[in-house]
Amino acid sequence: MAKPDLFQPWTLRDVTFPNRIFVSPMCQYSAEDGYPNDWHFVHLGSRAVGGAGLVMLEATAVTPEGRISPGDLGIWSDDHISEFKRNVDFIHAQGTAAGVQLGHAGRKASCAAPWVDGGRALTADEGAWQTVGPSAVAFSEDSPTPHALSVDEIGEIIEAFVAAARRAEAAGMDMIEIHGAHGYLLHEFLSPLANRRDDEYGGSLENRCRLALEITQAVRAVWPANKPLFFRISASDFAEGGWTIEDTVQLAAWLKDAGVDVLDCSGGGNVPNPDIPVGPGYQTEFAARVKRETGLATGAVGMITDPVQAEHIVHSGQADCVLLARELLRDPYFALRAAAELHGDVHDNIDVPKQYRRAFR
Ligand SMILES: Cc1cc2nc3c(=O)[nH]c(=O)nc-3n(C[C@H](O)[C@H](O)[C@H](O)COP(=O)(O)O)c2cc1C
């Protein structure tokens, strides 16, 4: 029987992912001053041992102010590089690819970890800092009002993304993903619900997309031409008057021209109580539509929890890869399990770590 499509290697530029099961970026809120530590090493290492085709590190801030919480990873200095590289080297030793999501939390920065009162805004005593955004529009009634970025300040953030991309390369990453989703800075510029500017960064769709495209172009210029660049989008705000899937399709075409290789299609995050029709694979249709209408490769994410479901998404051509988050927290060995459960011989589907082979006959 043919090898499942989920376990077909995928080559983008000069990087080959051994299979299509990717670790979706997941903040651990467990860093100090941005540095990965033993928690990250074991957490990421487990998922590499578990056979994922790509282990993508969580949203990693390009500036200290770009962190969601004080516990976020950050890569705003050269000193950070070696601790990232330690993780990359271990992931590579398991025969898988390593990447990192680069982001800026914008008006949703300066929060506690989610397990502290649901991730409320930090108080001054706890070290709250000034948040920033396209406009002085707060995310919710309980959120601080961001400082509206000047054009010069926008330029500094673009430079911070560029510097972060260079450091990701120095750490040996195979891919980077620009975080343009979930109500963080880039998404805030995209959505008319957060962006009320009347300069070249606001108003028309083209203007609202300007920052995302400028960052993409600037990053692509320094990120090696033989390594892929991903972009994560919230394909819909799921809110009246917000960003739509039609907007996403247009931006996807522009991002493709700017050198993005994969659009990672997520959703929501820009309004406090969105009306999201959550269910198995609830965002997969976004990935399918972008792929169909633009020809750009896509990743599907959101309640993908089952090997047959994951295989169906890739086999039917809805997306080129699946990104799993919570299921991979429940089971870091999901890829090994899927390789054993789907048709074919487990060892033809995946390279089981030699230390674990006696469990997989
Ligand atoms: C603990 C946790 C942390 C997350 N952190 C990030 C993140 O750093 N960047 C991001 O784009 N999405 C983040 N997400 C969202 C996931 O990547 C994913 O898009 C979402 O959970 C839906 O996928 P799932 O149904 O497989 O969990 C996080 C999700 C969880 C559960």
Side-chain angles (χ1 to χ4, degrees):
M1 207 181 275
K3 191 174 190 167
D5 288 325
L6 203 52
F7 292 102
Q8 294 292 345
W10 187 22
T11 301
L12 285 173
R13 299 187 188 247
D14 284 348
V15 172
T16 298
F17 302 97
N19 63 61
R20 313 301 182 95
I21 300 169
F22 291 1
V23 179
S24 198
M26 279 182 278
C27 288
Q28 299 296 296
Y29 310 100
S30 300
E32 263 180 56
D33 297 325
Y35 290 91
N37 54 38
D38 284 356
W39 174 265
H40 302 90
F41 189 74
V42 173
H43 162 71
L44 298 162
S46 306
R47 279 134 197 98
V49 169
L54 164 68
V55 178
M56 196 189 327
L57 276 66
E58 66 191 69
T60 296
V62 300
T63 66
E65 302 74 31
R67 288 176 293 176
I68 302 166
S69 82
D72 287 24
L73 288 185
I75 194 159
W76 57 80
S77 85
D78 288 351
D79 288 345
H80 288 101
I81 295 169
S82 59
E83 290 306 312
F84 280 84
K85 187 169 184 305
R86 176 178 177 234
N87 285 280
V88 171
D89 290 347
F90 183 81
I91 294 165
H92 281 163
Q94 309 319 310
T96 192
V100 62
Q101 185 187 52
L102 300 179
H104 189 299
R107 66 177 180 168
K108 286 171 70 177
S110 189
C111 288
W115 52 79
V116 180
D117 300 335
R120 58 163 172 74
L122 291 176
T123 62
D125 285 354
E126 293 168 324
W129 62 90
Q130 174 64 56
T131 60
V132 301
S135 308
V137 178
F139 170 68
S140 74
E141 283 175 6
D142 305 326
S143 312
T145 301
H147 158 71
L149 289 165
S150 69
V151 171
D152 283 350
E153 289 165 338
I154 289 173
E156 288 167 17
I157 288 176
I158 297 171
E159 284 312 309
F161 270 90
V162 167
R166 287 188 197 277
R167 294 183 191 116
E169 160 63 6
M173 299 289 175
D174 301 297
M175 58 76 77
I176 50 178
E177 176 171 277
I178 297 172
H179 195 349
H182 302 166
Y184 299 116
L185 187 67
L186 273 64
H187 184 180
E188 291 158 21
F189 272 80
L190 297 176
S191 173
L193 298 177
N195 184 342
R196 308 274 166 76
R197 299 176 75 96
D198 55 13
D199 64 359
E200 68 267 37
Y201 288 97
S204 66
L205 179 66
E206 215 167 2
N207 282 356
R208 282 181 280 118
C209 291
R210 192 176 306 282
L211 178 60
L213 288 166
E214 285 182 352
I215 287 175
T216 301
Q217 286 156 355
V219 164
R220 187 70 267 182
V222 298
W223 182 243
N226 64 349
K227 293 186 180 184
L229 176 62
F230 289 38
F231 189 100
R232 174 166 273 197
I233 192 141
S234 278
S236 170
D237 275 344
F238 297 108
E240 188 76 30
W243 179 260
T244 65
I245 176 64
E246 287 74 25
D247 298 333
T248 294
V249 169
Q250 176 57 74
L251 177 57
W254 289 334
L255 288 170
K256 189 178 175 200
D257 289 345
V260 164
D261 300 288
V262 179
L263 194 70
D264 173 3
C265 297
S266 189
N270 199 30
V271 295
N273 296 301
D275 190 11
I276 305 183
V278 176
Y282 67 101
Q283 294 172 147
T284 303
E285 177 49 29
F286 294 145
R289 182 154 169 197
V290 168
K291 192 168 157 61
R292 198 165 59 233
E293 295 188 16
T294 66
L296 181 60
T298 57
V301 64
M303 284 194 73
I304 301 168
T305 58
D306 178 76
V308 172
Q309 177 198 18
E311 167 65 4
H312 174 72
I313 291 168
V314 177
H315 179 73
S316 62
Q318 291 175 285
D320 299 272
C321 61
V322 289
L323 295 106
L324 277 64
R326 288 165 292 179
E327 185 58 21
L328 274 169
L329 294 185
R330 289 183 285 266
D331 179 8
Y333 308 108
F334 176 89
L336 294 176
R337 176 156 61 86
E341 278 180 27
L342 293 175
H343 52 267
D345 182 287
V346 58
H347 300 287
D348 287 341
N349 290 342
I350 202 163
D351 193 12
V352 178
K354 56 183 178 296
Q355 297 88 339
Y356 287 11
R357 280 193 197 139
R358 284 170 67 185
F360 295 87
R361 301 219 175 259

